Amino acid sequence: MEEVVGKILKVSGPLVVAEGMRNANMFDVVRVGEKRLIGEIIEMHGDKASIQVYEETAGVGRGDIVVSTGEPLSVELGPGLITNIYDGIQRPLETIREKVGSNLTRGIDEPALDRARVWHFEAEKKIGDTVAPGDVLGFVDETEVIRHKVMVPPKKGGTLVQIASGDFKVTDIVAKIKLENGKTENVTLIQKWPVRVARPYKEKLPPAEPMITGQRSIDALFPIAKGGTACVPGPFGSGKTVVQHQLAKWSDVDLVVYIGCGERGNEMTDVLREFPELTDPRTGKSLMERTVLIANTSDMPVAAREASIYTGITIAEYYRDMGYAVAVIADSTSRWAEALREMSGRLEEMPGEEGYPAYLTSRLAGFYERAGKVVCLGSDGREGALSAIGAVSPQGGDISEPVTQATLRIVKVFWGLDSSLAYRRHFPAINWLNSYSLYRERLSDWCADNIAKDWMSLTGRCLKTLQEESDLDEIVKLVGVDALSPEDRMTLEAARSIREDFLQQYAFDDIDGYTPLDKQYALLKLIFSYEDRARKALAQGANVQTLADLPVREMIGRAKTIPSENYKAEFEKIEAELAAQIDKAVHDAAKEN
């Protein structure tokens, strides 16, 4: 292929315009200037190409050479991705640090996967087998937790003419396939895939199983399905990062891809330090053994943010194709949208609302639509799921701004973080009045079969009680709590118990940090048992203040910190104590009367 070489006409920050690029294609990767900076063609006008450069362009000027590689921006997919830390364009930061020190040298080109490392490949197919695109040829034990399945590349199917178990580097040929057209396709442990193209699958399935997170406000009130989409908007200090860390640590998925997109360096440093030290509760190993980290901090070139979420979701799709459940956590899509706004301004495009480009919504949709539960390519019918969770950082917590609104039109779950709850030290600070999940009804059959028949009615009652509390609060502010009827005061007490004893959760506590679904159900039953018994006692003449001040309420408040292994016996004791104390309150009231 003839090499396309152009000359720079203009440099405007991360945007470079070059002429003589008529034979180049849209989204081709190019090398800019003497330092061979990495860039991507994002617009073509005749022989002029507008190039988004993913590195600092200081020192690049008119007349410098631009060389097209003739290939789109792609990621390397193969064993070695897990436990690695990449930047937004999949350069391995740990390897680069070992070579050049802590500063990321411009123009450095290091392969994403270690070319020297040897992997043991165990073949599952044999010579002469007919294989279809996506069929599993064999596997590599990538970590102690993840078995890496080596698959036939998409659109390549035929007859195996060579395959054998053994020790291989990622670039070695592990199998050869004779295609239907008579050509031979070499299969290595490494595949390349363009980041802006979604990986193919056989069929998309409706999400019908929840992604269990152990976070009570999420699992009970606003669940997300495996293969679902969610967003977490909230102002500074409302706990977005902790919510995402909890999701990464506790969610019942096989693999997590965490994308730090334009976040502050110290936040990303916390992630890089904490994740290797965290123990995966499912396996007892390091959390990094099922995590891929993409670090693209706010001091890195702004254009690289734009590529980072596509890099992350392409890696996630690759593991989804193996039949795994994968979660992509992007923090934050607001910083990514700022990169779009920056490039749109440099290209002198007509701005949309607040200066964001008019295509903001379609680009966001393109990202979230790559989530889903699918039947993977291959003849074994395996299913994989990719859940996409994006944090949004609206300035001042104003969710009416364009990025949040565009995201809400696309995703099915909205966990709205509230600064007033955070100031009251109520975490996770998910506002139950404006958050929602459109998966609740869809997951009701699974919940009825796997948790309890009355799970949905119980969690629905939770939301109704909290809404009633909000309405009554308006009255209390005007005329005081004494003006309410005993029944309404009991509603306030029940809502307080839901808020403080159920929804409030301490992320850094070994027991309270994660609550299994059966314990969540038992905890709710205990709270509503108190309300139901107290209402009966009210009807029998008991005093509402006496019922509100029962000593057993403190036991209910501490129930969430009872270890999950032996909570049933303890909850039965609390239930018996509750019945005894309410009976005593009714008896004492009858005596007084």
Side-chain angles (χ1 to χ4, degrees), residues 236-305:
F236 177 77
S238 57
K240 282 192 301 298
T241 305
V242 174
V243 167
Q244 290 176 99
H245 286 199
Q246 289 295 92
L247 293 172
K249 182 178 180 181
W250 295 108
S251 297
D252 67 332
V253 292
D254 301 303
L255 199 88
V256 175
V257 179
Y258 189 96
I259 309 166
C261 177
E263 280 304 293
R264 286 174 293 279
N266 57 342
E267 281 194 15
M268 203 63 224
T269 305
D270 286 346
V271 174
L272 299 180
R273 279 182 180 162
E274 285 171 19
F275 270 46
E277 292 174 8
L278 289 174
T279 302
D280 181 358
R282 301 172 72 206
T283 62
K285 309 290 181 188
S286 167
L287 194 61
M288 282 299 288
E289 297 222 346
R290 63 177 182 96
T291 305
V292 181
L293 289 178
I294 294 173
N296 193 250
T297 57
S298 53
D299 62 341
M300 289 179 174
V302 70
R305 295 181 199 172

Side-chain angles (χ1 to χ4, degrees), residues 5-12 15-21 30-34 37 48-49 51 53 57 59-67:
V5 179
K7 284 190 175 180
I8 294 176
L9 284 176
K10 167 185 159 186
V11 180
S12 172
L15 176 71
V16 167
V17 179
E19 63 179 351
M21 305 289 290
V30 297
R31 292 292 186 162
V32 178
E34 283 180 22
L37 307 181
K48 292 188 180 68
I51 298 160
V53 182
T57 55
V60 177
R62 277 177 64 94
D64 284 357
I65 297 295
V66 172
V67 181

Side-chain angles (χ1 to χ4, degrees), residues 321-338:
D321 292 347
M322 296 179 197
Y324 290 123
V326 188
V328 170
I329 299 174
D331 183 14
S332 85
T333 53
S334 293
R335 305 286 94 81
W336 171 79
E338 283 172 10

Side-chain angles (χ1 to χ4, degrees), residues 430-481:
I430 295 173
N431 187 321
W432 46 83
L433 298 175
N434 62 13
S435 299
Y436 61 80
S437 168
L438 301 182
Y439 293 118
R440 270 181 66 83
E441 292 305 315
R442 192 171 283 176
L443 299 174
S444 58
D445 290 343
W446 188 95
C447 293
D449 294 339
N450 294 276
I451 309 172
K453 298 285 184 197
D454 59 341
W455 171 258
M456 294 307 286
S457 61
L458 211 61
T459 55
R461 180 177 170 183
C462 245
L463 288 167
K464 185 169 180 284
T465 304
L466 291 167
Q467 182 61 58
E468 286 173 356
E469 181 199 33
S470 174
D471 297 339
L472 290 170
D473 272 346
E474 299 299 317
I475 299 169
V476 170
K477 283 173 188 171
L478 289 171
V479 293
V481 72

